[in-house]
Amino acid sequence: VHLTTGTLTVQPALLTGTADAKSRTYGATNPPFTVTYSGFVNGEDAGIVTGVLSGSTPATPDSPVGNYPISVVGQSAPNYSIQYVDGTLAVLPAPLLVRAEDAQRAYGRPNPAFGASFSGWVNGEGTNVLGGVLALSSPATTNSPVGSYPIIPAGVTATNYALSFSNGTLTVTPYALSVTASNQ
């Protein structure tokens, strides 16, 4: 019997690093990117991974609402070959509050012009990014009795904002009468 010495080659095990899904609102900075590894053998876990994870996405604070890829690279593990898989960054609408401003008028008078304020703009934007027409209405009519009535904002939309509306209050006050006694 003739024995020949051979060579056993041990190849690195494949480790898959998947970029974790993340989300943020429109106008915000990107969150820190993380990764989840799968494919460990021999009871090992992410504790053996070293190096600095580097993540990137084409999304900036100005990027509109939508989904963007997250790419990660930069770590290593002894006895493993790491293959990275992209994740997804969801850019969500930023909250924007449309609030009708309070107003006041006397009984028997027409409603004044109503106004509204906006809070929550990002990226230096303003009302120029709104779609539709802002409508401010109240159920109060000229003959509505003294009391409080809602001022209701509606009618606008914005692609990168989640709008919420807050009513204002129209206060109808007594009409001031001037009574003068006639001289007798």
Coordinates of all heavy atoms in Angstrom, one line a residue, residues 40-115:
F40 N -23.7 32.2 10.9 CA -22.6 31.8 11.9 C -22.6 30.2 12.0 O -23.7 29.6 12.0 CB -22.8 32.4 13.2 CG -22.5 33.9 13.2 CD1 -23.6 34.8 13.3 CD2 -21.2 34.4 13.1 CE1 -23.3 36.2 13.2 CE2 -21.0 35.8 13.1 CZ -22.0 36.7 13.2
V41 N -21.4 29.7 12.3 CA -21.3 28.2 12.5 C -20.6 28.0 13.8 O -20.0 28.9 14.4 CB -20.6 27.5 11.3 CG1 -21.4 27.6 10.1 CG2 -19.2 28.1 11.1
N42 N -20.6 26.8 14.3 CA -19.9 26.4 15.5 C -20.3 27.2 16.7 O -19.4 27.5 17.6 CB -18.4 26.5 15.3 CG -17.9 25.5 14.2 OD1 -18.5 24.5 14.0 ND2 -16.8 25.9 13.5
G43 N -21.5 27.6 16.8 CA -22.0 28.3 18.0 C -21.5 29.8 18.1 O -21.7 30.4 19.1
E44 N -20.9 30.3 17.0 CA -20.4 31.7 17.1 C -21.6 32.6 16.8 O -22.6 32.3 16.3 CB -19.3 31.9 16.0 CG -18.1 31.0 16.4 CD -17.0 31.1 15.4 OE1 -17.3 31.1 14.1 OE2 -15.8 31.2 15.8
D45 N -21.3 33.9 17.2 CA -22.3 34.9 17.0 C -21.6 36.3 16.6 O -20.4 36.3 16.3 CB -23.2 35.1 18.2 CG -22.4 35.5 19.4 OD1 -21.3 36.1 19.3 OD2 -22.9 35.3 20.5
A46 N -22.4 37.3 16.5 CA -21.9 38.6 16.1 C -20.7 39.2 16.9 O -20.1 40.1 16.5 CB -23.0 39.6 16.0
G47 N -20.5 38.5 18.1 CA -19.4 39.0 18.9 C -18.0 38.8 18.3 O -17.1 39.4 18.7
I48 N -17.9 38.0 17.3 CA -16.6 37.8 16.6 C -16.4 38.8 15.5 O -15.3 38.8 14.9 CB -16.4 36.4 16.1 CG1 -17.4 36.1 15.0 CG2 -16.6 35.3 17.2 CD1 -17.1 34.8 14.1
V49 N -17.4 39.6 15.1 CA -17.3 40.5 14.0 C -16.5 41.8 14.6 O -16.8 42.3 15.6 CB -18.7 40.9 13.5 CG1 -18.6 42.0 12.4 CG2 -19.4 39.7 13.0
T50 N -15.6 42.2 13.8 CA -14.8 43.4 14.1 C -14.8 44.4 13.0 O -15.3 44.2 11.9 CB -13.3 43.0 14.4 OG1 -12.7 42.4 13.3 CG2 -13.2 42.0 15.6
G51 N -14.2 45.6 13.3 CA -14.1 46.6 12.3 C -15.3 47.6 12.5 O -16.1 47.4 13.3
V52 N -15.2 48.6 11.7 CA -16.2 49.7 11.7 C -17.2 49.6 10.6 O -16.8 49.5 9.4 CB -15.5 51.1 11.7 CG1 -16.5 52.2 11.7 CG2 -14.5 51.2 12.8
L53 N -18.4 49.5 10.9 CA -19.5 49.4 9.9 C -19.7 50.7 9.3 O -19.8 51.8 9.9 CB -20.8 48.9 10.5 CG -21.9 48.7 9.5 CD1 -21.7 47.5 8.6 CD2 -23.3 48.5 10.3
S54 N -19.7 50.8 8.0 CA -19.9 52.0 7.2 C -21.2 51.8 6.4 O -21.3 50.9 5.6 CB -18.7 52.3 6.3 OG -19.0 53.4 5.5
G55 N -22.2 52.7 6.6 CA -23.4 52.6 5.9 C -23.7 53.9 5.1 O -23.2 55.0 5.4
S56 N -24.4 53.7 4.0 CA -24.6 54.9 3.1 C -26.0 54.7 2.4 O -26.5 53.6 2.3 CB -23.5 55.1 2.1 OG -23.5 54.0 1.2
T57 N -26.5 55.8 2.0 CA -27.8 55.8 1.2 C -27.8 57.1 0.4 O -27.1 58.1 0.7 CB -29.0 55.8 2.2 OG1 -30.2 55.8 1.3 CG2 -29.1 57.0 3.0
P58 N -28.5 57.1 -0.7 CA -28.5 58.3 -1.5 C -29.5 59.4 -0.9 O -29.5 60.5 -1.3 CB -29.0 57.9 -2.9 CG -29.7 56.6 -2.7 CD -29.0 56.0 -1.5
A59 N -30.3 59.0 0.1 CA -31.3 59.9 0.7 C -30.6 60.9 1.6 O -29.7 60.6 2.4 CB -32.2 59.1 1.6
T60 N -31.0 62.2 1.4 CA -30.5 63.3 2.1 C -31.8 63.9 2.8 O -32.9 63.5 2.5 CB -29.9 64.4 1.2 OG1 -30.9 65.0 0.4 CG2 -28.8 63.8 0.4
P61 N -31.6 64.9 3.7 CA -32.8 65.5 4.4 C -33.8 66.1 3.4 O -35.0 66.2 3.6 CB -32.2 66.6 5.3 CG -30.9 66.0 5.6 CD -30.4 65.4 4.4
D62 N -33.3 66.5 2.2 CA -34.2 67.0 1.1 C -34.8 66.0 0.3 O -35.7 66.3 -0.6 CB -33.3 68.0 0.2 CG -32.9 69.2 0.9 OD1 -33.5 69.7 1.8 OD2 -31.8 69.7 0.5
S63 N -34.5 64.7 0.4 CA -35.1 63.7 -0.4 C -36.6 63.5 -0.1 O -36.9 63.5 1.1 CB -34.4 62.3 -0.2 OG -33.0 62.4 -0.6
P64 N -37.4 63.4 -1.1 CA -38.8 63.3 -0.9 C -39.2 62.0 -0.3 O -38.4 61.0 -0.2 CB -39.4 63.4 -2.3 CG -38.3 63.1 -3.2 CD -37.1 63.4 -2.5
V65 N -40.5 61.9 0.2 CA -41.0 60.7 0.8 C -40.8 59.5 -0.2 O -41.1 59.7 -1.4 CB -42.5 60.9 1.2 CG1 -43.2 59.6 1.5 CG2 -42.6 62.0 2.3
G66 N -40.4 58.4 0.3 CA -40.2 57.2 -0.5 C -39.2 56.3 0.1 O -38.8 56.5 1.3
N67 N -38.8 55.2 -0.6 CA -37.9 54.2 -0.1 C -36.5 54.4 -0.8 O -36.5 54.6 -2.0 CB -38.4 52.8 -0.3 CG -39.6 52.6 0.6 OD1 -39.7 53.0 1.7 ND2 -40.6 51.8 0.1
Y68 N -35.5 54.2 -0.1 CA -34.1 54.4 -0.6 C -33.3 53.2 -0.1 O -33.4 52.7 1.0 CB -33.5 55.7 -0.1 CG -34.3 56.9 -0.6 CD1 -35.4 57.4 0.2 CD2 -33.9 57.5 -1.7 CE1 -36.1 58.5 -0.3 CE2 -34.7 58.6 -2.2 CZ -35.7 59.1 -1.5 OH -36.5 60.2 -1.9
P69 N -32.3 52.8 -0.9 CA -31.4 51.6 -0.5 C -30.4 52.1 0.6 O -30.0 53.2 0.6 CB -30.7 51.2 -1.8 CG -30.7 52.5 -2.6 CD -32.0 53.2 -2.3
I70 N -30.1 51.2 1.5 CA -29.1 51.3 2.5 C -28.0 50.3 2.1 O -28.3 49.1 2.1 CB -29.6 51.1 3.9 CG1 -30.6 52.0 4.3 CG2 -28.4 51.1 4.9 CD1 -31.3 51.7 5.6
S71 N -26.8 50.8 1.9 CA -25.6 49.8 1.7 C -24.7 49.9 2.9 O -24.5 51.0 3.4 CB -24.9 50.3 0.4 OG -25.7 50.2 -0.7
V72 N -24.2 48.7 3.3 CA -23.3 48.6 4.4 C -22.0 47.9 4.0 O -22.1 46.9 3.1 CB -23.9 48.0 5.6 CG1 -25.0 48.9 6.2 CG2 -24.5 46.7 5.3
V73 N -20.9 48.2 4.5 CA -19.6 47.5 4.3 C -18.7 47.7 5.5 O -19.0 48.5 6.4 CB -18.9 48.0 3.0 CG1 -19.7 47.7 1.8 CG2 -18.6 49.5 3.1
G74 N -17.6 47.1 5.5 CA -16.5 47.5 6.4 C -16.2 46.6 7.5 O -15.2 46.8 8.2
Q75 N -16.9 45.5 7.8 CA -16.5 44.6 8.9 C -16.0 43.3 8.4 O -16.1 43.0 7.3 CB -17.8 44.4 9.8 CG -18.2 45.7 10.5 CD -19.3 45.5 11.5 OE1 -20.3 45.0 11.2 NE2 -19.0 46.0 12.8
S76 N -15.4 42.6 9.4 CA -14.8 41.3 9.0 C -15.0 40.4 10.2 O -15.2 40.8 11.3 CB -13.3 41.4 8.7 OG -12.6 42.0 9.8
A77 N -14.8 39.1 10.0 CA -14.9 38.1 11.0 C -13.9 37.0 10.6 O -13.8 36.6 9.5 CB -16.3 37.5 11.1
P78 N -13.1 36.5 11.6 CA -12.2 35.4 11.3 C -12.9 34.1 10.8 O -13.9 33.8 11.4 CB -11.4 35.2 12.6 CG -12.3 35.8 13.7 CD -13.1 36.9 13.0
N79 N -12.4 33.5 9.8 CA -12.9 32.3 9.2 C -14.2 32.5 8.5 O -14.9 31.5 8.2 CB -13.1 31.2 10.3 CG -11.8 30.9 10.9 OD1 -10.8 30.7 10.3 ND2 -11.8 30.8 12.3
Y80 N -14.6 33.7 8.1 CA -15.8 34.0 7.4 C -15.6 35.0 6.2 O -14.7 35.8 6.3 CB -16.9 34.7 8.3 CG -17.5 33.7 9.3 CD1 -16.9 33.7 10.6 CD2 -18.6 32.9 9.1 CE1 -17.4 32.8 11.6 CE2 -19.1 32.1 10.0 CZ -18.5 32.0 11.3 OH -19.0 31.2 12.3
S81 N -16.3 34.8 5.2 CA -16.3 35.7 4.1 C -17.7 36.4 4.2 O -18.7 35.7 4.2 CB -16.2 34.9 2.8 OG -16.4 35.8 1.7
I82 N -17.7 37.7 4.3 CA -19.0 38.4 4.5 C -19.5 38.9 3.1 O -18.8 39.6 2.4 CB -18.8 39.6 5.5 CG1 -18.3 39.1 6.8 CG2 -20.1 40.4 5.6 CD1 -18.1 40.2 7.8
Q83 N -20.8 38.6 2.9 CA -21.5 39.2 1.8 C -22.6 40.1 2.3 O -23.4 39.7 3.1 CB -22.1 38.0 1.0 CG -23.0 38.5 -0.2 CD -23.7 37.4 -0.9 OE1 -23.5 36.2 -0.5 NE2 -24.5 37.7 -1.8
Y84 N -22.5 41.3 1.9 CA -23.5 42.3 2.4 C -24.7 42.4 1.4 O -24.6 42.3 0.2 CB -22.9 43.7 2.5 CG -21.9 43.8 3.7 CD1 -20.5 43.7 3.5 CD2 -22.4 43.9 5.0 CE1 -19.7 43.8 4.6 CE2 -21.5 43.9 6.1 CZ -20.2 43.9 5.9 OH -19.3 43.9 6.9
V85 N -25.9 42.6 2.1 CA -27.1 42.8 1.3 C -27.7 44.1 1.7 O -27.8 44.5 2.9 CB -28.1 41.6 1.7 CG1 -29.5 41.8 1.0 CG2 -27.5 40.3 1.4
D86 N -28.2 44.9 0.7 CA -28.8 46.2 1.0 C -30.1 46.1 1.8 O -30.8 45.1 1.7 CB -29.1 46.9 -0.3 CG -27.9 47.5 -1.0 OD1 -26.8 47.4 -0.5 OD2 -28.0 48.0 -2.2
G87 N -30.3 47.1 2.6 CA -31.6 47.3 3.3 C -32.4 48.4 2.7 O -32.0 49.0 1.6
T88 N -33.4 48.9 3.4 CA -34.3 49.9 2.9 C -34.4 51.0 4.0 O -34.7 50.7 5.1 CB -35.6 49.4 2.5 OG1 -35.4 48.4 1.5 CG2 -36.5 50.5 1.9
L89 N -34.3 52.3 3.5 CA -34.6 53.4 4.4 C -35.9 54.0 3.9 O -36.0 54.4 2.7 CB -33.5 54.5 4.3 CG -33.8 55.8 4.9 CD1 -33.9 55.7 6.5 CD2 -32.8 56.9 4.5
A90 N -36.9 54.1 4.7 CA -38.2 54.6 4.4 C -38.2 56.1 4.9 O -38.1 56.3 6.1 CB -39.3 53.9 5.0
V91 N -38.4 57.0 4.0 CA -38.6 58.4 4.3 C -40.1 58.7 4.4 O -40.8 58.5 3.4 CB -37.9 59.4 3.3 CG1 -38.2 60.8 3.7 CG2 -36.4 59.1 3.3
L92 N -40.5 59.0 5.6 CA -41.9 59.2 5.9 C -42.3 60.7 5.9 O -41.5 61.6 6.1 CB -42.3 58.6 7.3 CG -41.8 57.1 7.4 CD1 -41.9 56.7 8.9 CD2 -42.5 56.2 6.5
P93 N -43.6 61.0 5.7 CA -44.0 62.4 5.7 C -43.8 63.0 7.1 O -43.9 62.4 8.1 CB -45.5 62.3 5.4 CG -45.8 61.0 4.8 CD -44.7 60.1 5.4
A94 N -43.3 64.3 7.0 CA -43.1 65.1 8.3 C -44.5 65.6 8.8 O -45.3 66.0 7.9 CB -42.2 66.2 8.0
P95 N -44.7 65.6 10.1 CA -46.0 66.2 10.6 C -46.1 67.7 10.4 O -45.1 68.4 10.6 CB -46.0 65.8 12.0 CG -44.6 65.6 12.4 CD -43.8 65.2 11.1
L96 N -47.2 68.1 9.9 CA -47.5 69.6 9.7 C -48.9 69.9 10.3 O -49.8 69.3 9.9 CB -47.4 69.9 8.2 CG -47.6 71.4 7.9 CD1 -46.5 72.2 8.4 CD2 -47.8 71.6 6.4
L97 N -48.9 70.8 11.2 CA -50.2 71.2 11.8 C -50.7 72.5 11.2 O -50.0 73.5 11.1 CB -50.0 71.5 13.3 CG -51.2 72.0 14.1 CD1 -52.4 71.0 14.0 CD2 -50.9 72.4 15.5
V98 N -51.9 72.4 10.7 CA -52.6 73.6 10.2 C -53.7 74.0 11.2 O -54.6 73.2 11.5 CB -53.3 73.3 8.9 CG1 -54.0 74.6 8.3 CG2 -52.3 72.7 7.8
R99 N -53.5 75.2 11.8 CA -54.4 75.6 12.9 C -55.1 76.9 12.5 O -54.4 77.9 12.2 CB -53.6 75.8 14.2 CG -54.5 76.3 15.4 CD -53.9 76.3 16.7 NE -54.7 76.7 17.8 CZ -55.9 77.2 18.0 NH1 -56.6 77.4 16.9 NH2 -56.4 77.4 19.1
A100 N -56.4 76.8 12.6 CA -57.2 78.1 12.4 C -57.0 79.0 13.5 O -57.0 78.6 14.7 CB -58.7 77.7 12.2
E101 N -56.8 80.3 13.2 CA -56.6 81.3 14.3 C -57.9 81.7 14.9 O -58.9 81.7 14.2 CB -55.8 82.5 13.8 CG -54.4 82.1 13.3 CD -53.7 83.2 12.6 OE1 -54.4 84.2 12.1 OE2 -52.5 83.1 12.4
D102 N -58.0 82.0 16.2 CA -59.2 82.4 16.8 C -59.6 83.8 16.3 O -58.7 84.6 15.8 CB -59.0 82.5 18.3 CG -58.8 81.1 19.0 OD1 -59.1 80.1 18.3 OD2 -58.2 81.0 20.1
A103 N -60.9 84.1 16.3 CA -61.4 85.3 15.8 C -62.6 85.7 16.7 O -63.1 84.9 17.5 CB -61.8 85.2 14.4
Q104 N -63.0 87.0 16.5 CA -64.1 87.5 17.3 C -64.9 88.5 16.5 O -64.4 89.2 15.6 CB -63.6 88.2 18.6 CG -64.6 88.8 19.5 CD -64.0 89.4 20.7 OE1 -63.1 88.9 21.3 NE2 -64.5 90.6 21.1
R105 N -66.2 88.5 16.7 CA -67.1 89.5 16.0 C -68.4 89.7 16.8 O -68.7 88.9 17.7 CB -67.5 89.1 14.6 CG -68.4 87.9 14.6 CD -69.1 87.8 13.2 NE -69.9 86.6 13.1 CZ -71.2 86.5 13.5 NH1 -71.8 87.5 14.1 NH2 -71.8 85.3 13.3
A106 N -69.0 90.8 16.6 CA -70.3 91.1 17.3 C -71.5 90.4 16.6 O -71.4 90.1 15.4 CB -70.5 92.6 17.3
Y107 N -72.5 90.1 17.4 CA -73.7 89.5 16.9 C -74.3 90.4 15.8 O -74.2 91.7 15.8 CB -74.8 89.4 18.0 CG -76.1 89.1 17.5 CD1 -76.5 87.8 17.1 CD2 -77.1 90.1 17.4 CE1 -77.7 87.5 16.7 CE2 -78.4 89.8 17.0 CZ -78.7 88.5 16.6 OH -80.0 88.2 16.1
G108 N -74.8 89.8 14.7 CA -75.4 90.6 13.6 C -74.4 91.0 12.6 O -74.8 91.6 11.5
R109 N -73.1 90.9 12.8 CA -72.1 91.3 11.9 C -71.6 90.1 11.0 O -71.8 88.9 11.5 CB -70.9 91.9 12.6 CG -71.2 93.0 13.6 CD -71.8 94.2 13.0 NE -70.9 94.8 12.0 CZ -71.2 95.7 11.1 NH1 -72.4 96.2 11.1 NH2 -70.3 96.2 10.3
P110 N -71.1 90.3 9.9 CA -70.6 89.1 9.1 C -69.3 88.6 9.7 O -68.6 89.3 10.5 CB -70.3 89.7 7.7 CG -70.1 91.2 7.9 CD -71.0 91.5 9.1
N111 N -69.0 87.4 9.4 CA -67.7 86.8 9.9 C -66.6 87.5 9.4 O -66.6 87.9 8.2 CB -67.6 85.3 9.5 CG -68.6 84.4 10.3 OD1 -69.1 84.8 11.4 ND2 -68.9 83.3 9.7
P112 N -65.5 87.7 10.2 CA -64.3 88.4 9.6 C -63.5 87.4 8.7 O -63.9 86.2 8.6 CB -63.5 88.6 10.9 CG -63.9 87.6 11.9 CD -65.4 87.3 11.5
A113 N -62.5 87.9 8.1 CA -61.6 87.0 7.3 C -60.9 86.2 8.3 O -60.3 86.7 9.3 CB -60.7 87.9 6.5
F114 N -60.9 84.9 8.1 CA -60.2 84.0 9.0 C -58.8 83.8 8.6 O -58.5 83.8 7.4 CB -60.9 82.6 9.1 CG -62.3 82.7 9.6 CD1 -63.4 82.1 8.9 CD2 -62.6 83.3 10.8 CE1 -64.7 82.1 9.4 CE2 -63.9 83.4 11.3 CZ -65.0 82.8 10.6
G115 N -57.9 83.5 9.5 CA -56.5 83.2 9.2 C -56.1 81.8 9.8 O -56.8 81.2 10.6

